[in-house]
Amino acid sequence: MFFVSALKSILQLLHSNNSPRQISLAIALGFILGISPKGTLGALVIFLILFFFKVNFSAAILSATFFSLIAGLFDIIGGPIGYALLSADFLYSFWRAVYNLPIIPWTKFYNTIVLGNFLVGLILFYPLLRLVELLVGIYRREFARRLEKTRLLKIIKMISLYNLYEKFGG
Amino acid sequence: MRKNIIIPLVLLVVLALVFNCFFLDKIIRAALIKTGETIFQARVEIASLKTKFSNLSITISGLAVADKNNPMRNLLEIKNIYFGIAPRPLLEGKFIIEKVELSGIITDTARKNSGALPPKKMKKIARRTSPTILDKLWEKSAPELRKTAAFAAWREIKNISLPDIQDKVQALETLQTISRIKSESEKKISDYETAGNNLSVTEIIKETTENVNAARDLRINNVNDIPVAESLIKRLQNNQQKITSTAAELARLKNSLSADLTANDYLQQINQARDKDYQNTLGKVNLAGLTTPAAIGQSLLGPVWMGKIDRAIYYFSLVRNYFPKKKNPSKPRLVLPRRRGQDFVFPRKDWWPKFWIKKVVVDGMIAGTDFSGQILDITSDQDAINQPTLAKISGKSKSGYLLIEAIFDYRGERDINKVKIVLNGLPQPEYDLAAGIKLTGERMDSDNLFLLAGSSFSAILAARIIHPEFRGSPDDWWLKYLQNIPVLDLSVRAEQSAGSFKIDFRSNIDQILKQRIGDEIGATIAAYRTKIQQEIDRQVKEKQDELFGQVEGRKKEILARYNSEIQNIESKQKDIERAIEETRARIQSVAGKQIDDKKLKELKSLLGH
C-alpha cells in the first residue's frame, strides 16, 4: 500500500498545477533534508524553509522520505569528506571559532556525516534541481496526456476516490 | 515566501505548544528511563516529569531504580529531583546546572514487581556496554575466592550423635584378615598332620616290636642257631636305623610346628587391619573436618563482603565508562564515535565544559538514619574547571552516625576514584549468608574504603557486629556454637594488581568456633573415637579368640601326638638295643661254650683219653 500511495502522490504531483521549478525545488530541498542526520538545527532550518516558503511541501516530504532510506549510501561519500574537512589543520582555528559561537553547536556541524552530507547536498542541489525540472518538463510535454488515458491512472484515481469514500462515506 | 504565512506560523506555534505540553515531558522521561536502564541494567521508573520553559527547569517525582542483583528490591528511590539549566550556556550547547536537589532518597526498598529487564533488552545493553579490564579480572577471580570447601563439609554433617556407630562400623577388613589367617593356618596344620602320617610311625614300631619279640623268643642252643640269630640282629639294626631317622624327622616336625603358627605372626596382621578399619570408620563420619574448621569464617561471611566489593567494582566501572575520556594534550581535537559518523570535539574558548552540575544537594534515609550532603562538580571536563568531583554525605541518629566521602579525580595522568563509607552504631541489617543462614545483630560498625587508581583496585573493609545472631534451618545444628558471641569482628582486604586479585579475609569466628567446638565436641569426639575403637575391638576379639583357640588347639593336638610317637620310638630304640645286646651275648655264650667243649675234646684226644 505504501508504494501505491507513493506512486499516487508522485502522479498527483506531476499532474498538478505546480510549476516544474516548484517541484524540483521541493525535491532538491527534500534531498538535503533526507540525507542529513535528523535532530540537528540544520534539519530544523530546512524544514522551516519548506514550511514558510512557496515550496511543494508534500513533494519535499516525499523526497526527504525517499532519500532518508538511501542516506547510508551518501554517508559513504559524505563521511570521509566531513572527516577530511574537520581534521584539516588549516581549518582548525576556523572550526574552533565556530564551535565556540552560540547556537551554532546545535547544528552539530562538528559531526563528520552532518558536515559531509550537507556539503554533498549543497553540491548536488543545483544539478538535481535542474535535472528534476527538466524531467518534469519532459514528462508533462510527452507523457502526461497519454498517461491520463491509461487504465493505470484511472485505477489510481479510483483508489483515491475509493479511499475518500471509505473515509467519509457510510 | 508563501503569501499566507500567518496560518502556517500560527500552526507551527500551536504544534510546538502542543508538543511541549503533551509530548516533550514524555520524550524526556522516556529518554531518562532508557539511559537509566542502560547504566543500571535494571528497571528505572519515573512517576512524573514536568518541564518548565520559563526557568528551564525539570522536576522529576517518584524515581525508582531497581537492583539488578536483587530484582524484587530497589537500589534506591528518590522522591523528588529538581534542577534548572542555565540559559546562556545552553545557547552554546552547554548544559550548566547550578544546583540539583535530590530529596527523599531511600535505599533497598521492596518492589511490587520484578525490576529485571527483559532478556532482549539486556542483550542490547550488553552489546552497547563492554566490561572493563577490572570487571573481567574480578569475574575471573571471584569464583576462586568464593570457594567454600570447608563449609560444604560442615554442612553435610547432620550431627555427631553416637547411636549410629553400628552403621558405620561394618564390613571390617580385620574380620576378613582373620578369616584368611584361619584358612591358611588350617592348611598348615593339615600339612603337618599329613607329614606325620607319612612317617608311618605305627608300622615301624609294630615291626620293631615284632623283631624285638622274635629276638627274645629265639633259642640259641648250638652254633647252628647263630646265623639265624645274626640275621635277626641285622633286622634289628635296620629297625634301629629306621627308628632313628623317623625320630629325627619327628623331632624336626615338632620343632617346626612349635615355631610356626604363633600368635605374634597373626597379631601383627590383625592389628594392621584393625588400624586401617579404625581410620576408615573415622573417615566415614568426617570427624576430621569437624575438628578443624578451616576458613569457616570466609565461607560463611565471605559472600556478603564479597558482594560489597562486587558492587564497588560495578559502580567504579560505571563511573569509568561514563566519565569522559581524558583529552590527549598532544591531540587538540578529540574524536568520538557516534551512531552515524564521528564527533570532533574542539577546545572551548571559555571555561564552561559541555556539561557541569555544580552542586547536587541530597537528603534521605539509610538504615533508619536521616542523612544529607552534597556532591560537587559533576562535569564532562574536570580540566576545564580544575576541580575533581567530590561527595560528602553524613547522617546522625540517636545511636550512631554515617559518613560517606568520595572523590573522583580524572584530571591527572592516572584517574583516582576513592570512596569511604563509615557506619557507626547503626542498626544491623539482616544479611543473607551462605547456605541460607541469616545474620543480624544489635548493631554494626563498619569502615569501608574502596580505591581505584588507574588500573589498580583495592578495598579495605572492617566491620564489628555487636551481639551477632545467626539463624538457620534445623539442619544447622552447629549454629549453637555461634550463639552468645559478644562481638564479631571481621576484616577483608582485597587487592588487584598485575593481573590478579588477592583477598585476605579475617574474622574471629574461626577462633571462637574452634574453641567452642574444642571444648564441647572435642570430648564428644574423643568418646566417639573410643567407642568406635571399642566396637571394632569387640567384633574382632570374638573372631580372634576363636582363631587362636582353634589354631592352638590343633597345634597342641599334633604336638602331643608327635611327642607320644617320639616317646614310643625312644622306648623302642632302647628295646632294640637291649635285644641286640642280649642276642649277641647269647650268641657269644653259645659260641664260647662250643669252643670250650671242642678244646676239651682236643685236649683229651691229645692226652689219649
Side-chain angles (χ1 to χ4, degrees), chain B residues 113-247:
Chain B
N113 46 33
S114 171
L117 291 175
K120 221 174 171 182
K121 221 176 202 179
M122 280 303 292
K123 265 190 199 166
K124 261 192 204 167
I125 292 169
R127 260 187 262 132
R128 272 186 257 141
T129 56
S130 51
T132 60
I133 291 171
L134 183 63
D135 284 326
K136 287 179 193 167
L137 193 59
W138 177 246
E139 216 176 283
K140 190 176 147 196
S141 307
E144 180 66 33
L145 298 166
R146 285 188 219 275
K147 260 189 192 165
T148 57
F151 187 75
W154 267 67
R155 199 75 168 91
E156 282 164 27
I157 299 170
K158 295 290 178 189
N159 56 61
I160 55 160
S161 63
L162 306 178
D164 61 351
I165 273 184
Q166 295 288 341
D167 297 331
K168 303 293 180 203
V169 182
Q170 281 179 355
L172 295 175
E173 195 181 306
T174 315
L175 298 178
Q176 290 169 17
T177 304
I178 289 173
S179 183
R180 180 182 54 79
I181 291 170
K182 189 174 170 188
S183 57
E184 278 174 9
S185 60
E186 273 171 8
K187 186 176 178 306
K188 268 191 183 171
I189 285 168
S190 168
D191 290 343
Y192 277 114
E193 209 169 20
T194 308
N197 290 341
N198 290 344
L199 291 175
S200 309
V201 170
T202 313
E203 281 77 14
I204 291 170
I205 287 176
K206 189 179 168 190
E207 193 187 319
T208 306
T209 307
E210 281 171 3
N211 289 335
V212 163
N213 288 339
R216 192 188 56 218
D217 296 338
L218 182 67
R219 298 257 180 264
I220 307 171
N221 295 321
N222 49 49
V223 293
N224 295 327
D225 294 329
I226 289 174
V228 172
E230 282 182 345
S231 88
L232 187 59
I233 287 171
K234 269 199 179 128
R235 285 208 320 260
L236 281 168
Q237 281 173 338
N238 283 342
N239 271 142
Q240 199 179 34
Q241 269 178 6
K242 263 191 202 171
I243 268 183
T244 305
S245 66
T246 303

